[in-house]
Amino acid sequence: MMTPFDDKTREEIRARIDLVDLVGQYVRLRRAGQNHKGLCPFHKEKTPSFHVHAQRQFYRCFGCGASGDVFSFLMEYEGLSFPEALRTLAERAGVELRTTGRQGPTRNAKDRLRAIHAAAAALYSQFLFQEPDGEVGRRYLLHRGLSLEQAQELGLGLAPERWDFLKKALESQGFEPAELEQSGLIKRASGSESHRYDRFRNRLLFPITDPFGAILGFGGRALGDDPAKYINSPESPIYHKGRQLFGLHLAKEAIRETGFLLLVEGYFDQVLPYCHGIRNVAASLGTSLTQGHARLIRRYTDRVVLCFDRDEAGQKSQQRAAEIMIGEGFDVRIATLDRHKDPADYVVAEGKKALEARIAAAPEALLFYGNQALSEMGPPTPRNRARAVAKMLPLIQKIPDPVERSSSVAFVAEHLAAETRHVQELLERKEPTGRPRRLPDQPPPSSPMGELEKRLLRAIVLQPELLVEYLEQRDPAELRHPQSQELMGVLSSLYSDEHPPRIPEILERLGSEALKSQVSQWVFEAESLQYNLVAEFRGCLHLMNLQGIEQELETLRRQIQKAYQIGNLQELRELQKRFLFLLQEQQEERMEMAD
């Protein structure tokens, strides 16, 4: 398998990690002669057919056929790429990763950023629980119904009301000002080259982690009169808000045990139900749910119960989340709260069993929003009935399975006493809203590969280690052209070998003669290239981000015009707010491209 790490490193990890011990952390094993067996973690069964061979260090399920070593087990169970599994096991084994490609400096920089966040978390925690000035944070936690022991176990901390508390402490530990600024925990003063200060001040801090507990950023709750009640770490080389969920590292085992995820909005909405014993809960960091979140969740389950705040903003966010999750093929249900604003208040006031009952009674999203449309319809006039149907169309549009979508059309028609054929006609005429789940329909095979995809793939073919970075950041399904998809599939499959993809192997596996010719041309032209392939590759990633933003901006322009024409001021404000946010994202992408 091609990775930026040498063969000796991989073999050293294999020698130090005992497969029986690793599997035993996820599966209840019992000895069977010289081997061990248990219920297979990769398919449902009642009689154990999953065997682990202790001497040869491999596993095999005689029910579903799953087999492999320490790397493949972690990859399949945790949904990891090989580099992710390698790094995780290296940390467990105490093995230093020795790079063989060009990823070393980047990886080292990311390791430094993780070390900065780990050190910051320790400082914030110490201040909250040990310093006299931490009393304000301790009182607030108790006020919210959280014990200090629980808060300490969860790694909560407190940033004091000082401008340089963290900055001075981390610099004294040997961290450089530039890397502290890159972490996002320290900000540079406007108009100054040297003056820097702490981002978080007088705030209760929640550590944001990856699925394995490595701290990537923080969410901060104001304890004073700051109008910004919550602020989060900015995105950084290690933290991408659209690909992380708060509390997932704590919830993942319970998600597998229960078969579903309870998805909430805020930090306390995750923390308080978790501390009351509802363990399969994670939060969306107060940001809109993305396809990146959906892909992350799919590692653990395909069932989600949404339970967002009861206010108007929370309910709109919940419906957008439902549309995204349904569009990604999830079984989505909606839990409702009666007398309380959010899951945090509800579980403190009513208790664990009451919230569990709400979760258990959660209806499917289509039924929930169908009932909502019916209750809001008013008198069953033809116009009101048409409006109710129109409210349901965005949800039905997102359903990827044609059979389920057709059944949903029939369900909505029956629920709202409309003709099925009329609902189907409206669905076919209605223009898609929001950013599409996938880029537009694929072009016919005879059309040429798009210039952007061509530049991206050329960089990866000529510098294969870039494939790791691409797969970590993008979904190959976004590639539009069939030839692009074919080439990426070949590159990805060769990535599983013990060496980088070699051109003869790539050409051998490609089926398209035109594509073979194109790849050969890239190789022969490589010496004449006058630009940096890494810069070219990353520029392509920025352009892909810009394309997605520009598509959504164009859709929002049409929606804003429509809302203005019909006089829907509330919807107009929400659309304009989203439009301005995307303009800012667009500007940031352009600035990063210019750097």
Side-chain angles (χ1 to χ4, degrees):
M1 177 175 289
M2 189 277 286
T3 73
F5 307 106
D6 60 29
D7 294 338
K8 289 184 179 179
T9 300
R10 292 187 289 248
E11 292 308 316
E12 187 177 357
I13 293 170
R14 282 195 183 95
R16 292 196 188 187
I17 297 288
D18 180 69
L19 181 62
V20 175
D21 290 341
L22 177 67
V23 174
Q25 295 177 27
Y26 302 92
V27 180
R28 183 174 296 177
L29 296 174
R30 63 180 180 85
R31 184 177 290 278
Q34 295 183 352
N35 303 316
H36 297 75
K37 68 178 182 180
L39 295 175
C40 179
F42 305 123
H43 80 286
K44 291 183 179 179
E45 62 176 7
K46 295 182 179 180
T47 303
S49 59
F50 183 82
H51 294 251
V52 181
H53 196 296
Q55 182 180 358
R56 296 185 180 273
Q57 290 288 289
F58 78 97
Y59 64 87
R60 169 79 179 181
C61 175
F62 293 94
C64 69
S67 63
D69 61 3
V70 289
F71 295 112
S72 55
F73 179 84
L74 202 62
M75 288 166 65
E76 189 165 359
Y77 192 89
E78 295 286 6
L80 304 180
S81 66
F82 183 80
E84 290 173 327
L86 188 75
R87 293 182 188 114
T88 301
L89 292 173
E91 185 175 345
R92 293 190 186 189
V95 173
E96 180 181 357
L97 293 180
R98 297 181 290 274
T99 61
T100 60
R102 303 182 187 181
Q103 295 295 311
T106 300
R107 177 54 49 193
N108 184 60
K110 290 183 177 181
D111 288 341
R112 293 280 292 176
L113 291 177
R114 292 188 180 93
I116 287 171
H117 281 84
L123 290 164
Y124 289 141
S125 179
Q126 181 180 8
F127 191 88
L128 174 60
F129 295 107
Q130 297 181 23
E131 296 295 329
D133 288 347
E135 179 63 25
V136 61
R138 297 192 290 270
R139 285 201 308 269
Y140 181 77
L141 290 172
L142 294 172
H143 168 72
R144 290 302 304 263
L146 195 65
S147 74
L148 298 185
E149 292 77 12
Q150 290 170 328
Q152 197 160 15
E153 180 183 345
L154 294 172
L156 272 58
L158 177 65
E161 197 169 5
R162 303 177 199 167
W163 290 88
D164 59 359
F165 165 78
L166 187 66
K167 173 180 173 292
K168 284 185 175 180
L170 292 180
E171 286 179 348
S172 72
Q173 294 184 26
F175 294 108
E176 297 296 329
E179 58 187 357
L180 293 178
E181 185 179 343
Q182 187 181 35
S183 76
L185 300 178
I186 304 300
K187 296 180 68 175
R188 183 188 301 186
S190 178
S192 172
E193 289 296 321
S194 59
H195 180 59
R196 295 175 173 86
Y197 59 92
D198 292 4
R199 176 178 296 274
F200 297 106
R201 303 178 305 281
N202 196 28
R203 288 182 180 272
L204 185 70
L205 294 181
F206 301 82
I208 301 169
T209 75
D210 67 13
F212 304 100
I215 300 173
L216 309 177
F218 294 92
R221 205 284 183 196
L223 295 181
D225 55 1
D226 193 318
K229 185 190 296 185
Y230 284 94
I231 63 172
N232 292 334
S233 288
E235 294 209 346
S236 74
I238 63 171
Y239 171 55
H240 305 280
K241 62 184 179 182
R243 300 204 293 266
Q244 304 297 338
L245 292 172
F246 177 71
L248 182 62
H249 69 297
L250 299 171
K252 60 185 182 180
E253 292 307 318
I255 293 170
R256 289 198 177 96
E257 291 171 4
T258 60
F260 72 95
L261 165 67
L262 174 63
L263 186 63
V264 296
E265 275 191 289
Y267 296 105
F268 276 109
D269 293 332
Q270 189 279 335
V271 165
L272 287 167
Y274 181 86
C275 290
H276 277 75
I278 298 176
R279 301 291 191 176
N280 58 327
V281 57
S284 61
L285 299 170
T287 63
S288 297
L289 202 74
T290 68
Q291 291 171 347
H293 289 131
R295 288 194 291 270
L296 177 63
I297 293 168
R298 192 175 291 284
R299 293 182 180 182
Y300 308 99
T301 185
D302 58 3
R303 294 179 57 214
V304 174
V305 176
L306 301 176
C307 188
F308 283 25
D309 290 6
R310 291 181 60 214
D311 59 21
E312 184 178 359
Q315 290 302 295
K316 285 190 174 182
S317 295
Q318 181 171 267
Q319 184 161 355
R320 286 195 296 268
E323 290 176 6
I324 288 174
M325 300 301 285
I326 287 173
E328 293 295 325
F330 282 79
D331 174 359
V332 182
R333 297 169 186 268
I334 309 293
T336 59
L337 307 174
D338 50 3
R339 297 182 299 277
H340 303 282
K341 174 180 177 292
D342 54 38
D345 290 347
Y346 191 94
V347 76
V348 170
E350 307 294 336
K352 173 189 176 184
K353 289 186 177 180
L355 183 55
E356 284 180 330
R358 288 280 172 177
I359 296 167
E364 292 185 15
L366 198 68
L367 177 59
F368 173 83
Y369 287 112
N371 287 335
Q372 188 178 78
L374 193 63
S375 66
E376 295 173 355
M377 184 172 68
T381 64
R383 181 175 295 274
N384 285 346
R385 205 180 307 281
R387 287 174 176 169
V389 170
K391 286 184 178 181
M392 297 297 298
L393 292 182
L395 209 61
I396 302 174
Q397 276 185 305
K398 300 292 183 181
I399 299 173
D401 183 84
V403 176
E404 184 181 353
R405 188 165 58 248
S406 177
S407 298
S408 298
V409 167
F411 168 80
V412 168
E414 181 181 0
H415 206 62
L416 299 177
E419 291 287 339
T420 300
R421 60 187 177 89
H422 292 157
V423 177
Q424 184 64 44
E425 288 173 5
L426 283 173
L427 186 65
E428 292 171 355
R429 293 205 311 262
K430 186 172 174 60
E431 184 180 52
T433 59
R435 186 179 297 187
R437 256 188 335 113
R438 294 282 182 253
L439 293 177
D441 291 341
Q442 295 177 349
S446 58
S447 65
M449 188 187 298
E451 184 62 28
L452 180 58
E453 292 182 6
K454 183 186 295 185
R455 290 163 52 197
L456 175 82
L457 290 166
R458 176 174 56 190
I460 295 175
V461 166
L462 297 178
Q463 196 159 321
E465 61 266 34
L466 293 175
L467 182 62
V468 181
E469 188 172 342
Y470 175 81
L471 294 174
E472 287 180 344
Q473 296 188 38
R474 307 295 300 189
D475 184 353
E478 293 172 340
L479 296 173
R480 294 182 57 195
H481 199 281
Q483 289 186 356
S484 301
Q485 294 174 355
E486 181 186 355
L487 179 53
M488 181 56 71
V490 168
L491 291 168
S492 299
S493 65
L494 287 171
Y495 179 76
S496 65
D497 294 338
E498 290 293 335
H499 51 74
R502 291 194 284 257
I503 298 302
E505 295 170 323
I506 296 173
L507 296 176
E508 182 181 354
R509 296 200 187 189
L510 290 174
S512 164
E513 290 298 324
L515 193 51
K516 290 180 181 180
S517 176
Q518 178 69 85
V519 170
S520 300
Q521 183 180 348
W522 289 343
V523 175
F524 284 114
E525 293 175 348
E527 292 183 359
S528 64
L529 295 178
Q530 300 297 316
Y531 52 80
N532 184 300
L533 281 171
V534 175
E536 169 79 355
F537 166 80
R538 290 177 182 158
C540 290
L541 294 184
H542 283 303
L543 285 172
M544 286 180 165
N545 291 338
L546 281 172
Q547 282 185 351
I549 292 171
E550 286 164 2
Q551 287 174 7
E552 186 170 358
L553 284 172
E554 183 58 34
T555 299
L556 284 170
R557 287 188 184 97
R558 294 194 295 269
Q559 293 175 339
I560 287 170
Q561 184 179 12
K562 183 177 179 181
Y564 177 81
Q565 290 172 345
I566 65 176
N568 189 338
L569 298 182
Q570 178 63 32
E571 183 69 15
L572 183 62
R573 283 192 293 269
E574 290 294 326
L575 291 170
Q576 289 172 333
K577 182 178 178 182
R578 176 65 179 166
F579 190 90
L580 291 174
F581 174 79
L582 286 175
L583 285 178
Q584 183 179 354
E585 279 197 337
Q586 185 184 54
Q587 182 64 25
E588 290 173 356
E589 284 288 344
R590 287 173 174 166
M591 290 175 64
E592 288 184 17
M593 284 185 66
D595 287 342

